Amino acid sequence: MATNTLNAFSSFLDGLSVRTMQGENLSREEILRLLEIAPDAPQSDLMRKKAREMAAILCQNQGRVWSAVGVENKACPMNCHFCSFGEKWGLIKKESEWSDEEIIRVARLSAAQHVSWFTLRTTEVYSLERLCALAKKIRAEVPGQYALVVNTGELTAEQGKELKNAGIAGVYHTLRLGEGTATCFDPAVRLATMKAVSDSGLKLYHLIEPLGPEHSNDEIVDRLLAARDCRASLGGVMARINVKDTPFGDKEPISEDRVSQIVAISRICGGSSTPDVCVVPPSKQGLLAGANVVTTEIGSIPRSEQTEHQEAWTGFGIPEAFALLHEAGYEVPQK
């Protein structure tokens, strides 16, 4: 490609980053222009480089770990096509639930290892009362600077306030790709929950997920704009894992080039409004494209054929997470 063309695109990226780092929003057309570039094109490499430069400034080059425990290993009647918990797929052979003591043990270990977020992931039917009681217990017994987060069902602003009063700092909730087709959820209800979370004073955490090769640029930009409109404070990308015996079990995975490209676009578009950007599954390429957050998971995991895990999923625990962040050039807590 001609040097002049790349130089012009580099100048275009410089202009976008200056604007978003000052809190300005990009237009739909500008974001689409970035998404329409081939993931393996030289311009995409420029996007990744620019996003990593922005990350060094916006998150003070701090690498962060998101630690999550799947509380319930139970079949779900919602049957999302990408989720191993769906009743129709029959992957959960024996239902189980972690005790408060087990959860608190993992929370203590996570806090002692300097995670930034400790997340309780529950099903749609887990009661708000039970979740609030568990949150209060964790906050009382596990001191630390971590943010306590929930990933649960739909919420109203009033329910969000109940969670906040129980010690919850934020909620992970997304308008997922394929919502209403690969799921039986109403996209409008998902959006209403996202808005309710922000309106309640809780932080909203949102990823472009579960990303597959079939998702269009228009669908992806819709999710980026929805997250922005609902004031999400964490963004990024979660690639879909095509679990055997689910409807996506025989599909091709998304390329790592495409994932890292969209990570970079998330960083460039989010600017100062989205200081933290996550890539799931953890990926050095994603970190070099502007993500500064990786996740560790234990317990029930909806992206795994073996749905219940007593140890860190795929062996990627908190030490491995910080090692990967350090390898990508981020500053991480010292023991």
Side-chain angles (χ1 to χ4, degrees):
M1 177 170 290
T3 302
N4 288 345
T5 301
L6 281 180
N7 287 342
F9 186 75
S10 181
S11 296
F12 172 66
L13 285 180
D14 288 342
L16 297 185
S17 68
V18 167
R19 287 164 54 197
T20 61
M21 289 177 72
Q22 293 175 345
E24 185 177 335
N25 291 332
L26 302 184
S27 69
R28 181 186 183 89
E29 291 71 25
E30 287 169 324
I31 301 171
L32 278 171
R33 178 178 171 184
L34 300 179
L35 286 166
E36 287 166 355
I37 294 169
D40 59 352
Q43 294 98 323
S44 288
D45 286 337
L46 289 176
M47 280 191 265
R48 295 181 184 100
K49 181 179 179 182
K50 174 55 65 177
R52 182 62 183 88
E53 291 171 358
M54 291 174 66
I57 298 168
L58 293 168
C59 64
Q60 294 80 52
N61 207 44
Q62 297 295 310
R64 303 180 189 276
V65 173
W66 175 292
S67 173
V69 56
V71 175
E72 304 167 278
N73 188 50
K74 295 183 179 181
C76 177
M78 304 307 285
N79 295 309
C80 296
H81 291 187
F82 42 75
C83 178
S84 60
F85 295 170
E87 283 180 341
K88 288 183 179 180
W89 328 140
L91 293 174
I92 294 181
K93 307 301 182 184
K94 183 179 179 181
E95 294 192 341
S96 60
E97 183 174 332
W98 280 41
S99 67
D100 289 4
E101 290 70 28
E102 288 175 307
I103 295 168
I104 287 169
R105 176 183 62 83
V106 175
R108 282 200 184 102
L109 289 171
S110 297
Q113 294 179 83
H114 309 291
V115 304
S116 294
W117 299 271
F118 182 72
T119 303
L120 302 170
R121 185 169 55 221
T122 59
T123 64
E124 291 289 314
V125 297
Y126 200 86
S127 78
L128 184 72
E129 181 181 7
R130 172 87 178 89
L131 194 54
C132 287
L134 179 56
K136 289 178 181 177
K137 196 169 185 179
I138 293 170
R139 269 294 169 211
E141 298 189 28
V142 185
Q145 298 302 311
Y146 63 93
L148 188 56
V149 179
V150 295
N151 179 355
T152 189
E154 307 304 326
L155 297 166
T156 65
E158 284 305 311
Q159 289 172 324
K161 290 175 183 176
E162 289 183 52
L163 288 169
K164 187 176 181 182
N165 291 337
I168 298 296
V171 176
Y172 179 82
H173 204 79
T174 71
L175 178 65
R176 295 165 297 185
L177 294 163
E179 202 78 79
T181 54
T183 80
C184 60
F185 287 83
D186 182 344
V189 174
R190 300 287 295 187
L191 275 171
T193 293
M194 289 165 58
K195 291 176 181 174
V197 167
S198 293
D199 290 345
S200 70
L202 291 166
K203 288 190 175 182
L204 174 69
Y205 308 113
H206 180 285
L207 299 180
I208 305 301
E209 61 110 332
L211 182 65
E214 76 278 10
H215 294 124
S216 69
N217 293 328
D218 280 312
E219 190 176 7
I220 293 166
V221 78
D222 284 345
R223 272 52 182 179
L224 286 165
L225 294 175
R228 184 176 78 189
D229 291 346
C230 294
R231 307 187 300 281
S233 63
L234 176 144
V237 180
M238 182 188 297
R240 187 180 65 225
I241 292 178
N242 298 321
V243 180
K244 184 182 176 183
D245 295 327
T246 68
F248 285 107
D250 60 351
K251 304 298 183 184
E252 288 296 315
I254 188 77
S255 73
E256 195 166 352
D257 278 351
R258 180 62 164 165
V259 172
S260 64
Q261 180 200 41
I262 299 175
V263 166
I265 293 169
S266 297
R267 171 66 75 186
I268 293 165
C269 294
S272 61
S273 300
T274 315
D276 290 303
V277 172
C278 183
V279 59
V280 182
S283 156
K284 184 177 178 181
Q285 186 172 335
L287 294 173
L288 294 175
N292 68 305
V293 180
V294 292
T295 62
T296 66
E297 302 185 65
I298 193 171
S300 302
I301 298 171
R303 296 177 300 285
S304 172
E305 183 180 350
Q306 177 192 335
T307 56
E308 170 68 18
H309 297 257
Q310 291 300 314
E311 303 294 335
W313 184 35
T314 69
F316 190 81
I318 295 168
E320 291 79 12
F322 278 124
L324 182 62
L325 287 160
H326 181 71
E327 188 180 342
Y330 284 102
E331 297 176 19
V332 297
Q334 302 299 309
K335 292 183 180 180

